[in-house]
Amino acid sequence: IEFSHLKITPEGAFSLALLTTLSVFFISLTALVILNSFTLSSIILSLTLAIIAFYFLVVYPNHYATVFRISASSEMVLATIYMSISMHLSPNLENAIKFASKNLKGALSIDLRELLWGVYTRKYDKIEEALDSFIGKWKRDSKEFSESIYLIKNSGAESQEKRERFLDEAVSVMLDGTKERMRLYARQLKEPVTILNALGILLPIIGLVFFPIVSLFLPELIQPVFLVLGYDFFLPLVVFLFMNSYLEKRPYSLHQPDLSKHPDFSIVKVYEKPYIIPVIVSLPLIALGVINIIGEKGLFSFSLLFYSMLITLGMFLGIATYSYLSVKRKLKIRKEISDIETEFAGALFQIGSMILRGTPLETALRRIKDDIKNLKIAQFFDKILYNIETFGLTFENAIFDKQYGAINYYPSSIVESSMHVIVETSKKGMQSASKSMVIISKYLKDMHEVDEDLKNMMEEVTSTMNIQSVILAPLSAGVVVSIAAIMTRLLISLGDALTSVYSSIGSALGPAGDVGTGAISSIVNLNAIIPIHGFQLIVGIYLVEIVTIIGITLSTITNGDESLLKRSTISKLLMYSGIVYFITLLITYYMFTSVISIEKLIV
């Protein structure tokens, strides 16, 4: 609670969990009495729901603290870089913390602002004492971050040459620690991914093929409602919680582009709303399937199977189209900003190097035009030069003027914060500004290289998960449903044949034959078989859920907790897995039925 700045007490959190659990249990029992479904299994279900509610609320503060820790850790590299840049230019710890907290947007900025507040309110006697408290807080979660902050803190008392060495070492420690943590995490992920593949995807899907036979002989044991709850609620929940427990251990990711300042980001197009295109695409398919299935009592027919497939197709398309259309335009904005940030370091280094050699700023901006003319960032520096030459603006106003400033067209937090540092140092002279350009470009280049290394490290794990979601899971599901369809059809034909035989025997043997027929019917209950369209829906919904979970996991592993890339990954995986699932189901069904004649087999 203290770690994540929650405004609650331990007693209040536990009381809420207890009262909510009792409420869920008694409300669900009351609903069962009203619905006349008060059985042992329904009581167990109510108790299970109450236990889940209790567990969720009891562990939620810990979960919130974990999320806070992840959010903060994703900014640790940037915090180290921002503080190092500030200390390079002015050895003042308070200014370094101010600069970092101003340019960070997440949980870590809250911690840094709280440090400053603690100094201003005399909770700490001096800024070094506040930093010691900060180092102690994060030492357990990130040893390298604590070491980096310790180096930055101690650099303030050193000579300029030694201070620069300390600050460079602080950034190196942070980046090397990030790579080592991610390398270890990649190794640790191999085992849970294998478990997810075996116990969360393949085994449950393949196990479904036995349910039609089991329900034939033990109808009271295998009921559709428990199969739906087990496969479409509890199993996906267990898989999600299992993978989430590993995602919460993910080392911090590096910088993620901040799109909030882009003028087009806050605009929501009609097709990006969650209830427009998905409803238009999925609702007709789902409605057509439901209308044609409701009221049908048959256990098997291809038409029922087809209509149930339409419902599943509607679910696939609904989620996939929303996930794709809601981020398509914004991903272009993200890529534009990401490319600008990648190019920014190189261009900044060239300009800084020219100015260090005595070249005036305007001349340096003109000379660099030809070298970077094919880059997107070239227009940013062109705009600065244009503002200086045309409007006679100062270097600061050429960048940050509310009407004409170049930064208005490049809403990147990295570019903006870097230019703020350069502008501030330019007030001491362009030599100081050029020095800050070279320092910033070096740190940004190092950060980009580490980011690429991290993606390469995770490639083996992510490729395995891609294969699971796009090929293995839908392929297995399609084969299982087609086999279940063949088995259901076979059992129905067998039942009809047995009924015909027992009827003729019963008429020949009289009462004795009727007794034998009744005994066989009590053993084999064809009416208890799960209808194939219901079976397909159970498998199809499970496949949609499990592919979505894999998409969330895959995106979080690769890119961190970024919602745009999550939705983009989910849309791609659902489209590909849906195609594989439906093609596999239809091909295997027609292949089996064309090779095996059920009627001849029974005869």
Side-chain angles (χ1 to χ4, degrees):
I1 287 170
E2 290 179 2
F3 182 89
S4 51
H5 311 287
L6 282 171
K7 306 299 182 184
I8 61 173
T9 63
E11 294 82 3
F14 189 80
S15 299
L16 175 65
L18 194 60
L19 290 172
T20 304
T21 302
L22 293 173
S23 300
V24 168
F25 182 67
F26 287 117
I27 289 172
S28 59
L29 281 183
T30 305
L32 291 172
V33 172
I34 294 172
L35 296 172
N36 199 23
S37 301
F38 198 76
T39 61
L40 178 61
S41 57
S42 60
I43 293 172
I44 293 173
L45 178 62
S46 298
L47 188 60
T48 303
L49 291 173
I51 291 171
I52 291 173
F54 180 76
Y55 176 78
F56 175 79
L57 289 172
V58 164
V59 303
Y60 184 76
N62 286 329
H63 172 71
Y64 184 87
T66 302
V67 172
F68 182 90
R69 186 179 289 110
I70 293 170
S71 175
S73 63
S74 67
E75 296 182 316
M76 285 178 177
V77 174
L78 272 181
T80 306
I81 289 175
Y82 284 147
M83 291 177 71
S84 296
I85 290 170
S86 181
M87 290 292 289
H88 261 292
L89 305 171
S90 173
N92 186 306
L93 281 173
E94 186 176 332
N95 287 340
I97 295 172
K98 276 183 184 176
F99 178 68
S101 63
K102 181 180 177 182
N103 289 289
L104 297 174
K105 306 297 181 186
L108 200 58
S109 66
I110 298 173
D111 271 8
L112 292 174
R113 287 198 298 269
E114 193 175 72
L115 282 188
L116 293 171
W117 181 251
V119 175
Y120 297 155
T121 57
R122 310 304 299 169
K123 179 181 178 181
Y124 305 107
D125 291 332
K126 51 186 179 178
I127 195 69
E128 287 81 5
E129 185 184 337
L131 269 179
D132 286 337
S133 171
F134 181 75
I135 290 169
K137 175 177 180 176
W138 289 103
K139 192 168 186 179
R140 189 186 69 174
D141 296 296
S142 177
K143 184 179 177 182
E144 58 272 18
F145 181 58
S146 297
E147 290 177 4
S148 297
I149 300 299
Y150 183 77
L151 286 168
I152 292 171
K153 187 193 79 167
N154 289 341
S155 69
E158 303 295 337
S159 63
Q160 182 175 348
E161 184 181 347
K162 209 168 183 182
R163 182 175 73 247
E164 290 180 356
R165 210 163 52 238
F166 270 47
L167 295 173
D168 289 341
E169 180 66 17
V171 175
S172 297
V173 166
M174 193 67 221
L175 293 175
D176 291 343
T178 301
K179 284 199 287 188
E180 186 57 36
R181 276 178 175 264
M182 194 60 82
R183 190 176 290 111
L184 179 62
Y185 181 67
R187 287 200 298 267
Q188 291 174 343
L189 264 184
K190 291 180 181 179
E191 183 179 337
V193 167
T194 305
I195 294 172
L196 172 68
N197 181 35
L199 301 181
I201 301 174
L202 296 181
L203 192 61
I205 291 175
I206 294 172
L208 277 169
V209 78
F210 298 105
F211 283 110
I213 299 176
V214 176
S215 64
L216 183 67
F217 295 99
L218 298 170
E220 68 285 347
L221 184 63
I222 304 298
Q223 295 185 21
V225 64
F226 294 115
L227 202 58
V228 170
L229 286 174
Y231 269 85
D232 295 338
F233 179 74
F234 288 109
L235 188 56
L237 181 63
V238 169
V239 171
F240 176 76
L241 293 176
F242 173 73
M243 290 310 299
N244 196 55
S245 66
Y246 281 89
L247 293 180
E248 290 179 347
K249 299 173 186 176
R250 184 186 187 276
Y252 31 77
S253 57
L254 296 184
H255 166 70
Q256 297 168 347
D258 180 14
L259 312 184
S260 59
K261 294 183 180 180
H262 197 284
D264 294 335
F265 182 75
S266 57
I267 298 172
V268 180
K269 303 285 187 180
V270 174
Y271 59 83
E272 294 175 349
K273 295 180 179 178
Y275 50 81
I276 302 295
I277 298 298
V279 169
I280 295 173
V281 172
S282 61
L283 195 59
L285 293 172
I286 294 174
L288 181 62
V290 171
I291 290 169
N292 285 278
I293 287 177
I294 287 178
E296 295 290 338
K297 298 186 182 293
L299 294 176
F300 176 85
S301 73
F302 181 75
S303 61
L304 288 175
L305 177 61
F306 176 76
Y307 287 124
S308 73
M309 288 170 65
L310 286 183
I311 297 174
T312 307
L313 178 62
M315 294 177 182
F316 269 101
L317 288 178
I319 300 173
T321 51
Y322 167 67
S323 299
Y324 174 72
L325 292 174
S326 64
V327 300
K328 179 185 176 184
R329 183 178 58 86
K330 293 177 181 178
L331 281 177
K332 289 182 180 178
I333 298 173
R334 185 191 184 280
K335 186 178 185 306
E336 179 184 335
I337 293 176
S338 183
D339 290 343
I340 287 169
E341 291 177 349
T342 303
E343 298 164 358
F344 179 67
L348 203 62
F349 180 80
Q350 292 184 52
I351 295 172
S353 299
M354 288 183 191
I355 297 174
L356 273 177
R357 292 195 298 266
T359 306
L361 173 64
E362 293 180 37
T363 306
L365 291 173
R366 284 195 203 97
R367 285 183 183 176
I368 201 176
K369 267 188 172 184
D370 292 334
D371 294 337
I372 63 171
K373 62 182 179 181
N374 295 324
L375 303 180
K376 292 179 181 178
I377 195 63
Q379 297 175 9
F380 175 71
F381 293 107
D382 285 347
K383 181 65 176 173
I384 295 174
L385 182 62
Y386 178 80
N387 287 344
I388 293 173
E389 293 180 338
T390 306
F391 300 110
L393 298 178
T394 62
F395 181 54
E396 180 177 4
N397 289 334
I399 299 170
F400 294 110
D401 185 82
K402 291 184 179 179
Q403 185 174 357
Y404 301 108
I407 200 68
N408 297 333
Y409 304 92
Y410 296 87
S412 162
S413 58
I414 286 282
V415 174
E416 183 177 357
S417 58
S418 299
M419 295 311 295
H420 271 299
V421 173
I422 293 166
V423 166
E424 286 300 315
T425 53
S426 69
K427 294 175 182 177
K428 302 176 184 178
M430 288 312 298
Q431 286 297 311
S432 297
S434 62
K435 182 181 177 183
S436 66
M437 289 180 187
V438 173
I439 293 169
I440 291 169
S441 64
K442 177 182 179 298
Y443 286 157
L444 293 181
K445 185 180 178 183
D446 289 344
M447 190 174 73
H448 178 69
E449 288 176 355
V450 171
D451 199 20
E452 292 300 314
D453 288 343
L454 298 185
K455 289 179 181 178
N456 292 334
M457 286 179 200
M458 304 308 298
E459 191 172 345
E460 183 180 349
V461 174
T462 54
S463 62
T464 302
M465 298 188 74
N466 262 314
I467 293 171
Q468 286 176 350
S469 58
V470 173
I471 298 177
L472 295 180
L475 195 67
S476 303
V479 171
V480 163
V481 173
S482 60
I483 291 175
I486 298 298
M487 290 175 60
T488 303
R489 187 175 167 188
L490 176 63
L491 291 171
I492 292 171
S493 299
L494 179 62
D496 293 340
L498 288 174
T499 302
S500 176
V501 171
Y502 293 151
S503 297
S504 60
I505 292 175
S507 59
L509 298 179
D514 293 337
V515 171
T517 303
I520 295 295
S521 299
S522 64
I523 296 173
V524 180
N525 185 4
L526 288 173
N527 293 325
I529 298 177
I530 300 172
I532 189 58
H533 52 279
F535 185 82
Q536 190 283 138
L537 280 175
I538 292 171
V539 175
I541 292 171
Y542 175 70
L543 184 61
V544 171
E545 293 173 333
I546 207 70
V547 170
T548 302
I549 291 170
I550 292 176
I552 293 171
T553 305
L554 188 60
S555 178
T556 306
I557 289 172
T558 308
N559 308 298
D561 192 21
E562 193 169 352
S563 60
L564 289 182
L565 295 179
K566 277 183 186 177
R567 277 184 271 173
S568 176
T569 305
I570 289 170
S571 67
K572 290 176 185 176
L573 295 186
L574 282 175
M575 289 299 293
Y576 291 135
S577 62
I579 291 170
V580 172
Y581 171 65
F582 291 114
I583 290 176
T584 302
L585 200 163
L586 293 173
I587 288 177
T588 51
Y589 175 79
Y590 278 110
M591 185 176 66
F592 284 138
T593 52
S594 61
V595 173
I596 302 172
S597 175
I598 301 294
E599 289 74 15
K600 290 182 180 179
L601 190 64
I602 297 298
V603 173

